[in-house]
Amino acid sequence: MSIEMNRTAIVTGGSRGIGRAVVRRLAEQGYAVVVGYAGNADEAAAAVKEAEAAGAQAVAYRADVADETAVAGMFAEAESRFGGVDAVVNAAGRMTLARVEDIDLDEMDALHRTNIRGAFVVAREAARRVRPGGSITLFSTSVVGTAFPTYGAYAASKGAVEALTMVLAKEMRGRDVNVNTVAPGPTATELFLEGKSDELVTRLAKSNPLERLAEPRDIAEVAAFLATPAGHWVNGQVVRANGGMV
């Protein structure tokens, strides 16, 4: 049942993984959705069809989150097509795993361009355009706390996002817009599973008291809640959605 009427969401990274699950969940809640994607037009089109099947209006928009011109165009598309922007979920991200002594600095720069610059570009545009009563939701990772080896560059990039969260929430004073960050634990997405052995995946699944990996839907429920009136009083927080992993 729809709980939101005439409201619009932008979801970056919306063609796959957690972002795509967020698109579906917001569509189920009645949001019109702009599916932001970096390159895979077929997957983005499929995400649009899933949103439409849930009864929502949806459109795909190609935008590199680190490109301020492209991101501004995506917001302008949302305003032109659907009348405004009420929820922004920045689920776009990149992951590179390596020990600090082995990190390829070009790969690290590319990761930080997406995860840090991209988060700031999307947050900046959202801060300028989100309507009163709206929400801005960013993404981090629980690895910021667990500090697994080989995650140094990735965790550092997401630590920057966490540092931004409360600052932006305070800067939005008087606008009636909440700002939060969701920090998932191990989640069964293509990005997470790539290159991991079955043994490692099993060990990580057992690392929380619920003894399983999250499904993208589990994380989408948290992000979607923060975008609703029911979640509006949660503000300036980093929500570690990880099944109790420490």
Side-chain angles (χ1 to χ4, degrees):
M1 180 178 177
S2 172
I3 61 173
E4 298 291 335
M5 298 300 294
N6 301 317
R7 290 172 68 83
T8 302
I10 292 175
V11 182
T12 70
S15 64
R16 296 192 298 174
I18 291 171
R20 186 156 166 176
V22 172
V23 168
R24 287 195 298 269
R25 190 68 189 96
L26 291 175
E28 291 168 356
Q29 292 181 176
Y31 281 86
V33 186
V34 176
V35 179
Y37 72 101
N40 195 321
D42 290 342
E43 292 292 342
V48 167
K49 288 183 179 179
E50 290 174 3
E52 291 173 339
Q57 294 179 287
V59 64
Y61 194 96
R62 184 171 184 172
D64 173 357
V65 291
D67 181 338
E68 63 270 32
T69 302
V71 169
M74 180 169 57
F75 276 76
E77 176 72 9
E79 290 172 339
S80 173
R81 187 177 291 260
F82 301 125
V85 179
D86 302 286
V88 175
V89 180
N90 184 48
R94 181 190 291 261
M95 182 186 292
T96 296
L97 302 182
R99 293 173 61 86
V100 172
E101 64 187 302
D102 299 324
I103 190 72
D104 182 300
L105 294 179
D106 289 337
E107 290 185 7
M108 186 186 76
D109 287 344
L111 178 143
H112 286 182
R113 183 177 185 276
T114 296
N115 293 0
I116 300 177
R117 178 185 169 93
F120 272 81
V121 169
V122 172
R124 184 178 75 163
E125 205 64 33
R128 292 171 174 176
R129 303 211 197 200
V130 170
R131 294 187 287 200
S135 67
I136 302 170
T137 304
L138 308 175
F139 266 80
S140 178
T141 171
S142 286
V143 175
V144 171
T146 59
F148 292 151
T150 75
Y151 279 82
Y154 182 64
S157 73
K158 294 303 189 176
V161 176
E162 294 192 8
L164 166 65
T165 306
M166 181 57 87
V167 172
L168 182 56
K170 289 181 177 180
E171 290 178 353
M172 297 302 287
R173 176 183 291 274
R175 295 276 302 280
D176 192 24
V177 172
N178 68 332
V179 180
N180 295 286
T181 288
V182 178
T187 305
T189 64
E190 181 181 341
L191 180 68
F192 170 78
L193 295 172
E194 182 178 1
K196 292 183 173 67
S197 67
D198 291 343
E199 180 183 7
L200 178 58
V201 170
T202 298
R203 180 161 58 83
L204 290 171
K206 297 289 187 180
S207 66
N208 68 75
L210 300 181
E211 297 190 327
R212 67 173 177 87
L213 297 179
E215 294 296 331
R217 177 81 177 204
D218 294 319
I219 310 304
E221 292 284 0
V222 178
F225 169 74
L226 295 172
T228 66
H232 200 64
W233 194 242
V234 181
N235 193 24
Q237 304 303 306
V238 175
V239 182
R240 301 214 179 280
N242 59 28
M245 183 180 69
V246 295

